[in-house]
Amino acid sequence: MSISTTRRRSATAVRTAAVIGSGVMGAGIAAHLANSGMRVLLLDVVPGELTNEEAGKGLTLDDAAVRNRLAGRAVANMARSQPALLYDSSWTSRIRPGNLTDDLALLGDTDWIVEAVVERLDVKREVLAAIESARRPGTLVTTNTSGLSVAAMAEGRSKEFREHFAATHFFNPPRYMKLVEIVPTEDTAPEVTELLEELCVSRLGKGVVVARDTPNFIANRIGTYGMLVTLADTIRFGLTVEEADALTGPALGRPKTATYRMLDLVGLDTLLHVVDNVRERSGDEAERAVFARPQLLEELVASGRLGEKSGAGFYRKRKDADGRSRIESLRLGTMEYGPQVRVSSPVIDAAKSAKGAAAKAKALLGANPKDRYAQFAWSTVKATLLYSAAQVGVIAESVVDIDRAMKWGFNWELGPFELWDAIGLEASVERMKEEGEIVPEWVEAWLREGHASFYETSERKRFYASTSGGLREERQEEDVISLAALKADGRSVLGTPGASLIDIGDDVVCLEFHSPNNAIGGDVLSAIRQSAAEVSRNWRGLVLANEGRNFCVGANLMLLLMEAQAGEWDEVEDIIRFFQDSMLRLKRLDRPVVAAPHRMTLGGGVEACLPADVILLSPETYFGLVETGVGLIPAGGGCKEAAISAMQRAGLSAAAGAGRGGATPGDLQPHLNALFETIALAKTSTSGHDAAKLGLLRPQDRTLVRQDARIAEAKRLVLELDRAGYTAPEEERVAIGGRESKAVLAMGVQAMRLSGHISAHDALIAGKLAHVLSGGDVRQGARVSEQYLLDLECEAFLSLCGESKTQERMSHMLTKGKPLRN
Ligand code: NAI
């Protein structure tokens, strides 16, 4: 039954999907649909020839293994892909490989079919015709095209098909890139567009922008324009590839890949196709001129220099005489490569040291207008801003849609209109006009109406300029709480330089870390203690979450290392005790606490989550006790909580009725083994879902698909616990593994040492960890207090701090940002 003629389906009713085309995008999309719990059929063409390997095995072209080769290989590669496409590598079981000839009829059993074959209109049309012959009415069909006409693709298909057809343009890799552009045609039923939006947002965790069916849609259209302008300006201003990259990357709030590194990744041949697509379909002469094929790109492609996939593009990697890799860059004058040259200038340094994308852009673009770098940056940015303004109402509904597309699809920190506001709309329009540019009439009219920016904020709502005049309220993503907006609105309750407690409504507060890298130091711990006291007195509960790049990368090692190097052991002990005591205050708080960690949550960051009543992870939470990497063991309660977790899993928790089902202290061992391995090897989860395998999470912990909604959801959980009559958990005496467990763990350490898997220092650290996790030299099954385990943590930590190899590891981490194996 057709969606448009029946009650609207909800996104949860979409359980099965098929993806046609198992290349880069098809495989990535299939994996991400599997991440959402869907059963996925992945189809590709039947190969025409046997590989040598297949022939060697005696297979023929009739064997399923051969016929399904393309999709089969794609699924096998998924389990090994780096970065991981699946939240859990075992979920390849949710994807069934097949081929379009033998398995076409299976499309009759799917709720959503995604076409992701090569970017050719004729091929896509053929595939859509085949899909129509097999699908049942009502099935959603979408195409993943980079920018072909969606309506042209659907020509020749039935009305019912066209009502259920649109583009869902995912960005690569689909798991990690937030943007999906949904492109309906005039025939797409509005309910279908809405359903697709709901599916992409709530099931796949994506950010959706609805785009018009124009060449390359929004992000690729503006992104490609920006690249072409940058290429032309690089030549005009006589800059090198490195100089242009230094000016169009983080200095403008854009990714490190900037322009030329990004082009190498995308593929220069692909770029030419995208450029052709706009030029051939644009009705605007000036635009067609900008989208002419740049001679330089044509030359590179003609000589087989396509970027990373061919080993050379604007950059290439070469091995020097010592076998070390070094990067060379293209000299635009000679088209030869030479050693990469570091770029530095006062303008770039000023942008680098400015805080935040807005300040960086201001520093770069507002610099001395005689500076060549500043002139280049202004020229490329100016062109992109004017082009974006001219496209509002043409390729996208609004400035918001363009800004979101560039932020979510190209990882820009600010969209063009946000950037324009940041550098000063009025002054920059004035400058553009002085330079003879034509500013779109709606922007001029907007300024004449007396506005000074495209966005205006009032009472935590953001309004944007509409091309027809007047402000429109920006539709916020549902369930998103913005701590930045609340703080700007004066809702901070208390704070230290490292953290703030913010009122997030309904008598719930959120403790936000905002120290450098969100590392936990004395000021963050003080804020935790003050917050615990404040929440107990005045609030219904506490959320631990923040909007930093990462939730928390661990404890601040700098002070610790300084004290250790100075041999100030009392000071080191004070630091540990202060950490442990702060965590205990969270654990014993008489109000519910929910932690919502996102992205990197390491070491002390994990220890700050473990006292919470519920840990709400996101798919992209990388969770791990990684202290051994810096020569230490967790000593902020991490080992103690691991021992408690082992006890609970073994069925020995007194709170849960110890010994129920005949559990004995011997049952602790497998759980201790697993936790020991997790901590000793500093294992980190590859996703929120994968974190359960570490053994640190409790049954009540969970993962929320939409990372952006984590603070609102954590608040909802706090209120739920409060309404249920929350009381703090009683302190429990912990059943421990004792001497016997320690001996088993120590034997494992010995075996790894003897087989050369670990260094002598790794073995020393692991030995201390075994001692703490098993509860030391006491009898198996003895019950100890939490404080006893904290004392063991502290003692082991102190002794490791005195080791020179541990100090080397800490110092290496602080200077190089990665662990040292010594
Ligand atoms: P790809 O070349 O990696 O994969 C294309 C797949 O289509 C191959 O597995 C091929 O066997 C299959 N195929 C070719 N002809 C077929 C036919 N007649 N029937 C069924 N399958 C057929 O290409 P990629 O990069 O995965 O692109 C797929 C689509 O996604 C294209 O439309 C592309 O423009 C679009 N896209 C690509 C992005 C990227 O970054 N690679 C990003 C967003 C969209």
Side-chain angles (χ1 to χ4, degrees):
M1 258 180 300
S2 143
I3 284 188
S4 46
T5 56
T6 57
R7 198 166 58 84
R8 194 169 157 270
R9 257 187 298 179
S10 86
T12 42
V14 176
R15 293 170 211 276
T16 56
V19 178
I20 319 290
S22 62
V24 177
M25 291 308 288
I29 294 167
H32 200 56
L33 298 181
N35 283 336
S36 77
M38 290 184 207
R39 298 278 143 189
V40 186
L41 179 67
L42 180 61
L43 303 182
D44 211 306
V45 289
V46 175
E49 284 175 34
L50 292 175
T51 61
N52 289 342
E53 200 189 344
E54 285 163 347
K57 283 188 193 159
L59 294 172
T60 72
L61 285 173
D62 294 330
D63 283 302
V66 177
R67 298 179 73 75
N68 298 341
R69 184 207 303 149
L70 294 181
R73 273 195 191 158
V75 176
N77 289 339
M78 248 175 235
R80 299 188 286 268
S81 65
Q82 283 296 342
L85 298 177
L86 288 160
Y87 293 157
D88 184 321
S89 56
S90 71
W91 291 354
T92 46
S93 62
R94 297 178 180 176
I95 306 172
R96 174 179 164 182
N99 70 73
L100 271 170
T101 310
D102 305 329
D103 302 312
L104 192 66
L106 295 177
L107 296 183
D109 277 334
T110 38
D111 301 320
W112 181 13
I113 302 167
V114 184
E115 171 281 304
V117 305
V118 284
E119 185 80 339
R120 273 180 44 191
L121 190 58
D122 56 338
V123 178
K124 291 203 184 262
R125 275 186 174 153
E126 233 172 76
V127 170
L128 292 179
I131 292 174
E132 177 161 41
S133 71
R135 88 187 244 283
R136 63 164 187 264
T139 300
L140 299 167
V141 183
T142 63
T143 169
N144 183 69
T145 169
S146 301
L148 295 177
S149 160
V150 186
M153 242 181 259
E155 271 170 29
R157 304 279 65 74
S158 69
K159 180 166 178 292
E160 192 277 336
F161 183 100
R162 283 182 279 119
E163 281 170 356
H164 293 85
F165 178 66
T168 43
H169 180 205
F170 286 85
F171 283 66
N172 190 28
R175 167 178 166 182
Y176 297 95
M177 293 301 293
K178 179 163 172 166
L179 182 62
V180 175
E181 288 175 333
I182 294 185
V183 192
T185 68
E186 285 187 356
D187 295 331
T188 312
E191 311 86 286
V192 167
T193 308
E194 272 170 41
L195 178 58
L196 287 170
E197 189 164 355
E198 191 184 334
L199 266 171
C200 291
V201 172
S202 62
R203 297 281 301 279
L204 305 179
K206 299 288 113 191
V208 165
V209 171
V210 176
R212 296 197 182 166
D213 190 6
T214 53
N216 301 339
F217 315 130
I218 304 175
N220 280 349
R221 173 83 160 253
I222 289 176
T224 318
Y225 179 88
M227 286 175 191
L228 290 175
V229 164
T230 305
L231 182 59
D233 277 352
T234 308
I235 296 166
R236 190 157 68 93
F237 285 86
L239 300 194
T240 63
V241 164
E242 295 94 317
E243 285 172 325
D245 271 354
L247 291 160
T248 54
L252 279 178
R254 297 184 192 161
K256 279 201 195 104
T257 44
T259 302
Y260 295 108
R261 251 175 243 291
M262 165 96 155
L263 281 176
D264 277 354
L265 285 174
V266 169
L268 307 188
D269 52 337
T270 307
L271 179 78
L272 283 184
H273 285 135
V274 175
V275 166
D276 291 346
N277 191 34
V278 179
R279 190 185 58 256
E280 285 160 12
R281 290 169 55 202
S282 170
D284 176 342
E285 190 117 1
E287 186 173 45
R288 278 206 300 272
V290 178
F291 279 84
R293 285 180 159 223
Q295 196 195 337
L296 182 81
L297 277 184
E298 287 210 279
E299 257 178 70
L300 284 170
V301 172
S303 59
R305 292 180 276 183
L306 309 179
E308 207 167 78
K309 62 185 166 189
S310 70
F314 285 99
Y315 294 94
R316 71 175 186 189
K317 231 187 228 167
R318 276 286 175 273
K319 288 230 187 296
D320 61 17
D322 309 335
R324 272 190 313 234
S325 287
R326 69 191 153 81
I327 310 263
E328 294 181 338
S329 63
L330 185 73
R331 304 292 186 261
L332 298 182
T334 59
M335 299 298 273
E336 301 292 333
Y337 294 87
Q340 208 180 2
V341 184
R342 254 186 72 81
V343 182
S344 94
S345 97
V347 176
I348 296 176
D349 292 346
K352 264 192 194 156
S353 54
K355 280 245 171 301
K360 283 181 193 303
K362 245 179 164 163
L364 183 57
L365 300 170
N368 177 3
K370 295 227 159 58
D371 183 288
R372 201 162 57 106
Y373 287 165
Q375 280 173 358
F376 164 85
W378 165 249
S379 172
T380 60
V381 166
K382 175 177 74 175
T384 309
L385 298 183
L386 287 169
Y387 186 69
S388 301
Q391 296 305 329
V392 184
V394 180
I395 64 170
E397 273 319 303
S398 67
V399 296
V400 178
D401 285 347
I402 291 184
D403 278 349
R404 287 183 173 175
M406 297 320 291
K407 287 190 288 183
W408 297 345
F410 274 68
N411 288 330
W412 291 7
E413 283 182 54
L414 298 174
F417 299 97
E418 290 168 335
L419 178 74
W420 208 333
D421 279 355
I423 60 172
L425 175 60
E426 283 171 297
S428 53
V429 164
E430 206 49 49
R431 183 172 170 191
M432 287 171 184
K433 291 205 308 206
E434 277 165 21
E435 291 170 2
E437 304 294 347
I438 297 168
V439 176
E441 171 50 29
W442 76 267
V443 177
E444 296 241 39
W446 184 249
L447 289 172
R448 280 198 302 274
E449 271 180 40
H451 298 280
S453 56
F454 290 110
Y455 289 97
E456 289 173 22
T457 308
S458 148
E459 292 180 2
R460 278 180 286 122
K461 291 197 180 97
R462 200 160 80 140
F463 298 83
Y464 65 89
S466 104
T467 45
S468 53
L471 283 164
R472 299 248 172 94
E473 185 179 338
E474 180 177 352
R475 186 167 64 119
Q476 290 301 335
E477 290 178 273
E478 246 173 83
D479 304 333
V480 174
I481 290 180
S482 160
L483 297 178
L486 287 165
K487 276 199 294 190
D489 203 29
R491 304 273 285 264
S492 295
V493 176
L494 58 85
T496 66
S500 301
L501 189 68
I502 301 157
D503 174 0
I504 54 173
D506 296 315
D507 296 327
V508 179
V509 270
C510 176
L511 181 63
E512 176 203 40
F513 301 168
H514 45 63
S515 53
N517 291 321
N518 281 350
I520 302 183
D523 49 356
V524 172
L525 293 173
S526 296
I528 289 177
R529 300 157 81 89
Q530 290 169 31
S531 299
E534 168 66 18
V535 171
S536 175
R537 274 195 303 271
N538 296 319
W539 303 85
R540 290 171 75 184
L542 175 67
V543 168
L544 288 176
N546 63 66
E547 291 166 344
R549 193 176 291 272
N550 296 300
F551 175 76
C552 172
V553 296
N556 186 348
L557 290 176
M558 182 62 92
L559 181 65
L560 193 65
L561 178 61
M562 275 162 36
E563 301 292 8
Q565 283 171 335
E568 298 283 357
W569 306 120
D570 288 349
E571 300 293 332
V572 176
E573 179 163 355
D574 284 349
I575 294 174
I576 306 167
R577 295 294 185 192
F578 194 66
F579 201 131
Q580 292 181 337
D581 182 66
S582 306
M583 297 306 117
L584 272 185
R585 288 182 193 212
L586 281 181
K587 188 166 179 177
R588 304 266 176 267
L589 188 61
D590 54 1
R591 303 273 183 238
V593 179
V594 176
H598 68 287
R599 302 192 67 83
M600 282 208 269
T601 303
L602 304 176
V606 169
E607 291 180 304
C609 293
L610 292 175
D613 297 293
V614 181
I615 303 174
L616 181 68
L617 301 114
S618 296
E620 305 309 333
T621 302
Y622 316 122
F623 199 75
L625 287 168
V626 296
E627 284 83 349
T628 58
V630 287
L632 297 167
I633 62 157
C639 291
K640 174 200 70 166
E641 291 300 327
I644 293 174
S645 163
M647 167 180 76
Q648 288 169 342
R649 282 158 199 269
L652 291 165
S653 167
R660 243 190 352 202
T664 67
D667 294 333
L668 280 168
Q669 197 62 50
H671 304 286
L672 282 174
N673 291 348
L675 283 159
F676 175 73
E677 204 179 300
T678 291
I679 303 174
L681 302 180
K683 285 190 182 173
T684 304
S685 72
T686 58
S687 70
H689 301 78
D690 176 64
K693 289 190 192 141
L694 300 176
L696 291 164
L697 298 181
R698 299 79 45 97
Q700 69 271 27
D701 299 329
R702 61 195 80 171
T703 304
L704 178 77
V705 170
R706 286 183 55 214
Q707 182 174 298
D708 293 345
R710 68 192 182 280
I711 301 175
E713 178 62 12
K715 173 179 145 182
R716 201 192 59 71
L717 288 169
V718 162
L719 291 172
E720 188 181 304
L721 288 167
D722 176 59
R723 273 195 291 271
Y726 182 82
T727 54
E730 294 295 321
E731 175 171 357
E732 218 184 329
R733 292 188 67 79
V734 189
I736 51 171
R739 269 176 229 112
E740 285 84 345
S741 287
K742 183 175 159 184
V744 173
L745 298 178
M747 252 163 31
V749 175
Q750 274 306 316
M752 287 189 51
R753 176 70 192 122
L754 289 173
S755 63
H757 276 89
I758 57 173
S759 69
H761 193 53
D762 288 330
L764 177 85
I765 302 163
K768 304 242 178 231
L769 176 65
H771 180 76
V772 179
L773 272 186
S774 56
D777 293 315
V778 285
R779 118 190 114 68
Q780 190 169 54
R783 292 206 176 247
V784 299
S785 66
E786 290 192 30
Q787 190 56 50
Y788 169 86
L789 289 170
L790 289 175
D791 291 345
L792 289 186
E793 280 185 3
C794 182
E795 193 184 305
F797 190 94
L798 269 169
S799 79
L800 286 169
C801 278
E803 296 286 333
S804 59
K805 283 202 150 69
T806 283
Q807 293 180 12
E808 279 169 32
R809 285 191 185 192
M810 285 200 259
S811 159
H812 193 270
M813 179 59 81
L814 283 167
T815 50
K816 302 263 165 38
K818 52 184 179 200
L820 169 75
R821 289 292 311 273
N822 60 0

